[in-house]
Amino acid sequence: MKKSFIYLITLALSILSCSETPPPKPIEPLPAARQLAWQEMGYYAFIHFNMNTFTDMEWGTGGESPAQFNPTELDTRQWARVAKDAGMKGIIITAKHHDGFCLWPTKTTEHSVKNSPWKDGKGDLIKDLSEACEEYGLKFGIYLSPWDRNNANYGQPEYVNIFHEQLRELLSNYGPIFEVWFDGANGGSGYYGGANETRKIDNKTYYEWDKTTEIVRELQPDAVIFSDAGPDIRWVGTEEGFANETNWSIMRRDEIYPGWPRYKELRSGHEDGTHWLPAEVNTSIRPGWYYHPREDHQVKTLSRLVRTFYESVGRNGNFLLNLPVDDRGLVHENDVAQLMALRNQLDKDFAHELAKNIEVSASNTRGNSDRFAPEMVNDGNPDTYWSTDDGVVSASITFNFDTPTEVNRIVLQEYIPLGQRVKQFNVSAEVEGQWQKLDEQTTIGYKRILRFDVVNATKIKVDIVDAKGPLTISNIELYHAPKLVTLPQISRDKEGMVDLSVADKSVEVFYTVDGSTPTPDAIKFERPFLIDAPTTVKAIAFDGETNTMSESSSQYFDVAKKNWKVISVSSGNIEEAGKLIDDNLDTYWATDEGVNRPQEIVIDLGAEYTLKGFTYAPIQTRYPFGIIMDYEFSASTNGKNWNTVSQGEFGNIVNNRIGQTINFSPVRARYIKLKGVRVDGEDFRTSFGEVGIISE
Ligand code: FUL
């Protein structure tokens, strides 16, 4: 196997500078220089912005017209500024997605910006973004979809030449490229120059991967190539945003190919891997990769983003977070707010490094040499490392604090130019003279971050239990991250029990039920409580240690729904209809498909109330359907004589899928009926996220 350039340098330097104790032998496979440089990127942006942004699609068919690409306020410098402010190190842009539209004026097809109204066809988005990245000190990467649903030649050898030519254009004209992203997806069907048919290709051979790799190596030798199978970096086998805790940067690469059915193994790598193939964790800040106004309220929460960071960068992966730039051509303000909240939280988590230069000792030091001493892990130099004697694969390293110190994070790094080694390790703390185990884990790799409950420790010890060879630990850091103070989520079950939850269980929650804004003097939340009458619950999260208070969340509840029953539906399975009155927005119920008249449901409230209004929450799934746009609401005291008390429109509900409240003049009722007079969809199939009442 070819030894990496970095290893040769290391070896050369070590031979010159140190005659007594040689460094441990590398454990192959080893990373190439370009893979090492990529690993230091850590966190960077994916941007999905292309034809789909204007057609509200995720996978365009290829039959779109360039005239549809028409951003009104496109500002690539805003994208770069946002990424920079968010703490990201680069941007990868969808230069061409599966629909084949090219964001640069390519010579290979007419299906590009040059035939769009944007900048009168004179624009080059790849150029603009590459310049913006340079201005903001960000690295620049390219996503180029091999699958092309527009190209008439797709499936023939001619298209492969076109694909390679597109790659050449992108890699020749826009400065240094750090990553080339090849998507493995291929659904077969497409427009294909008007043929509108399904075309199957062999993903392993059709694109001539060897030649594709050669083009990248020739034009951008420092760029890493991403695909399901590398060759340089791998997909992590999920788009949910995590790597497994055990995560080897090596894999038996020759077994893998795009569409590999054992893709879940990509989450952990292979302990007996033959090639260096580290994982990139890609996920979107919204449910979709492209911008859809209906997802404006579904930007990932701070706690979810924090978790994703710890489960990617903290699990030996890089974090590629997608920003679906909107149809104005800007990163949407909701996304910007969350990106900045994440940045702010991470800055706080890693504000004060506690292990730097403190006293550290180890159970074994390679050749008792200063060069491999335990102090190499907290000297702030990533090129030095603590190492053990040949044959010693289990050893401990201990940090001694002068005074008891609160700790809840540890960062560990192996010196990967010599290969990934650690297979099993534990972390313990000495608290008031007693040792307690904080965590038991498997791999470390380039970077591992563990979170644990705060300990007031006099010592912190890392026991490496098993490794593939002598240890090479380059860095260990300790931190005391503040509590994560996020907006409490207020929910109620069908019985009427209200729960207030926050991501960090050690944060206190205070609430009110009288409409006033809570403070830390309000009622402290200890356990779920009953709300069975019209009430607005407001809650805050509070960390007394740092005096940090969240904003206040607020939720209106009416009578509990425990005695409610859906007693009639115009079509669909009534047995399941309880899902529309279960006080749970994650569930929904829908009428049958293919119906040609408005659909309705009838609910028995179990008792008579004076109603002042009703509520309708639309379905929250990724691909919504049947949302009521025009409604008719009726009330009855006996379930026979109906009184239509309100009819009208839920304005903009499809794009902004938030709960709707409609008020009307008070009526007495035990039975309510909701009809979908006009719904979003081809037929009258009607969906219900949740239905509720406003009573007196
Ligand atoms: C997938 C694609 O099909 C999606 O549209 C998106 O680009 C995602 C990053 O990769 O395979």
Side-chain angles (χ1 to χ4, degrees), residues 46 48 58-59 97-98 143 181 183-185 239 282 289-290:
F46 216 172
H48 275 64
E58 280 288 309
W59 278 14
H97 204 249
H98 311 325
Y143 167 116
W181 219 93
D183 197 312
E239 291 181 353
N282 68 310
W289 291 99
Y290 280 94

Side-chain angles (χ1 to χ4, degrees), residues 23 56 60 75 98 108 118 236 255 285 352 388 431 510 512 546 581 604 624 660:
D56 204 10
D75 182 2
H98 311 325
T108 62
W118 176 61
V236 76
E255 292 176 16
I285 196 163
H352 306 292
T388 54
V431 181
F510 297 91
T512 61
T546 52
I581 47 169
D604 175 0
Q660 310 284 313

Side-chain angles (χ1 to χ4, degrees), residues 210-471:
D210 286 350
K211 192 164 169 196
T212 310
T213 301
E214 260 173 47
I215 295 171
V216 181
R217 298 289 190 247
E218 174 202 328
L219 298 172
Q220 296 279 346
D222 297 334
V224 287
I225 303 174
F226 167 100
S227 81
D228 293 8
D232 299 320
I233 50 178
R234 70 178 204 257
W235 182 44
V236 76
T238 170
E239 291 181 353
E240 289 299 306
F242 67 91
N244 279 356
E245 289 190 307
T246 298
N247 184 11
W248 291 96
S249 288
I250 57 177
M251 291 204 78
R252 299 187 299 273
R253 193 178 72 187
D254 296 341
E255 292 176 16
I256 312 168
Y257 54 89
W260 191 44
R262 284 161 40 209
Y263 66 92
K264 286 193 181 157
E265 292 172 32
L266 296 167
R267 298 176 188 178
S268 292
H270 291 145
E271 187 177 328
D272 60 350
T274 50
H275 292 81
W276 192 266
L277 194 59
E280 182 183 74
V281 178
N282 68 310
T283 194
S284 184
I285 196 163
R286 293 171 175 235
W289 291 99
Y290 280 94
Y291 176 75
H292 309 288
R294 64 174 182 275
E295 293 178 356
D296 280 351
H297 69 301
Q298 288 180 316
V299 179
K300 286 195 165 85
T301 59
L302 174 61
S303 55
R304 175 69 195 266
L305 289 172
V306 167
R307 191 179 91 205
T308 307
F309 178 87
Y310 279 103
E311 294 183 354
S312 54
V313 173
R315 290 184 179 173
N316 190 30
N318 270 357
F319 181 16
L320 176 61
L321 179 61
N322 181 61
L323 313 179
V325 164
D326 68 20
D327 51 357
R328 295 170 301 177
L330 299 172
V331 183
H332 191 276
E333 28 287 63
N334 293 2
D335 307 47
V336 174
Q338 291 311 86
L339 288 166
M340 297 315 147
L342 175 63
R343 166 80 200 258
N344 187 22
Q345 187 65 38
L346 293 176
D347 281 353
K348 285 195 214 157
D349 282 12
F350 300 106
H352 306 292
E353 214 280 270
L354 304 168
K356 188 97 182 273
N357 295 327
I358 69 169
E359 190 196 324
V360 56
S361 58
S363 63
N364 178 287
T365 294
R366 187 172 184 81
N368 285 322
S369 146
D370 285 351
R371 189 176 157 204
F372 301 114
E375 286 80 10
M376 300 300 116
V377 305
N378 63 345
D379 62 353
N381 181 352
D383 299 326
T384 62
Y385 53 92
W386 162 58
S387 187
T388 54
D389 287 321
D390 286 346
V392 177
V393 296
S394 128
S396 59
I397 184 162
T398 308
F399 295 89
N400 299 290
F401 291 116
D402 286 343
T403 52
T405 303
E406 293 193 319
V407 183
N408 60 1
R409 298 280 186 282
I410 185 167
V411 178
L412 300 133
Q413 294 190 272
E414 288 189 75
Y415 184 71
I416 56 169
L418 292 178
Q420 187 179 350
R421 297 161 182 248
V422 174
K423 293 204 260 185
Q424 204 189 331
F425 71 101
N426 305 322
V427 179
S428 309
E430 188 194 62
V431 181
E432 292 175 358
Q434 299 285 316
W435 280 101
Q436 65 187 66
K437 199 183 273 181
L438 302 174
D439 206 346
E440 249 181 64
Q441 288 293 336
T442 52
T443 53
I444 295 178
Y446 173 69
K447 190 179 276 182
R448 192 73 206 273
I449 310 174
L450 303 179
R451 293 182 287 176
F452 43 85
D453 290 341
V454 181
V455 282
N456 196 18
T458 40
K459 291 179 182 157
I460 294 282
K461 180 166 64 153
V462 180
D463 286 301
I464 312 246
V465 181
D466 196 10
K468 287 184 167 186
L471 312 178

